[in-house]
């Protein structure tokens, strides 16, 4: 079933995100922006946690998560350990929610209009996985270019 594939992808990429954040030699560099790099790795990490906890946790798992999207891009200097805790908690939540979804749930219309039109829950979960992978690549480049 597609949920097993989604779990594999989310676990792979969230664990890679954790590894990327752990790999910064200089913790301050997590928050650096430079030249045409407008978002720090820390802010991208917060954005991913807000995104996944809203669209999977709140909307599909009824976790009660409350998102403050502007803070995802304005907060600075959150300790590396706190970012890692957020990632680990998100991994647990994603697995719990995905384990609860049925084929009927995946074929149902996602409970919120996100891109100005309806889409199935399965389609939107695939989008969320690719969104995670996109920003994960940015974080990897951020670390390799700026953490020295």
């Amino acid at each position: 079933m597609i949920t097993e594939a989604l779990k594999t992808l989310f676990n792979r990429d969230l664990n890679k995100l954790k590894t990327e954040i752990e790999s910064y030699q200089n913790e301050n560099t997590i928050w650096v922006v430079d030249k045409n790099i407008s978002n720090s790795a820390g802010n991208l990490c917060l954005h991913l946690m807000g995104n996944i906890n809203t669209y999977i946790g709140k909307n599909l798992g009824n976790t009660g998560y409350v998102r403050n999207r502007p803070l995802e891009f304005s907060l600075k200097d959150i300790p590396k350990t706190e970012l890692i805790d957020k990632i680990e908690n998100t991994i647990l939540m994603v697995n719990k929610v995905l384990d609860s979804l049925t084929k009927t749930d995946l074929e149902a219309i996602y409970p919120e209009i996100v891109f100005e039109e309806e889409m199935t829950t399965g389609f939107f979960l695939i989008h969320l996985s690719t969104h995670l992978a996109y920003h994960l690549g940015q974080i990897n480049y951020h670390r390799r270019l700026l953490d020295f």
Side-chain angles (χ1 to χ4, degrees), residues 13-14 16-24 29-30 32 37 39-49 83 87 131-147:
D13 291 348
L14 287 168
K16 180 63 177 162
L17 174 61
K18 180 180 164 187
T19 299
E20 286 294 336
I21 297 300
E22 288 172 335
S23 295
Y24 276 84
T29 306
I30 294 172
V32 169
I37 301 173
N39 291 310
S40 71
N43 290 117
L44 288 172
C45 181
L46 291 173
H47 170 61
L48 287 167
M49 296 306 93
L83 293 175
I87 297 165
H131 178 258
L132 168 59
Y134 174 74
H135 286 313
L136 177 58
Q138 290 177 315
I139 292 168
N140 173 266
Y141 267 88
H142 181 276
R143 181 182 55 76
R144 290 188 292 136
L145 288 169
L146 301 176
D147 189 38

Side-chain angles (χ1 to χ4, degrees), residues 84-129:
I84 292 165
D85 285 345
K86 288 178 185 296
I87 297 165
E88 289 173 343
N89 289 331
T90 299
I91 291 169
L92 294 173
M93 177 277 299
V94 165
N95 284 307
K96 181 177 179 184
V97 172
L98 290 180
D99 282 340
S100 76
L101 296 179
T102 65
K103 184 176 188 248
T104 302
D105 294 329
L106 294 171
E107 293 169 351
I109 298 300
Y110 186 74
E112 180 180 335
I113 300 292
V114 181
F115 301 123
E116 300 179 10
E117 61 184 56
E118 290 182 343
M119 68 193 96
T120 66
T121 297
F123 176 88
F124 191 55
L125 287 169
I126 292 167
H127 162 77
L128 291 174
S129 175

Side-chain angles (χ1 to χ4, degrees), residues 56-87:
I56 296 177
K58 176 182 167 258
N59 290 354
L60 297 177
N62 300 308
T63 61
Y65 181 80
V66 177
R67 186 178 193 182
N68 187 335
R69 192 172 189 279
L71 283 181
E72 295 167 15
F73 295 99
S74 63
L75 287 174
K76 305 291 180 215
D77 302 321
I78 307 296
K80 184 193 297 193
T81 55
E82 190 174 328
L83 293 175
I84 292 165
D85 285 345
K86 288 178 185 296
I87 297 165

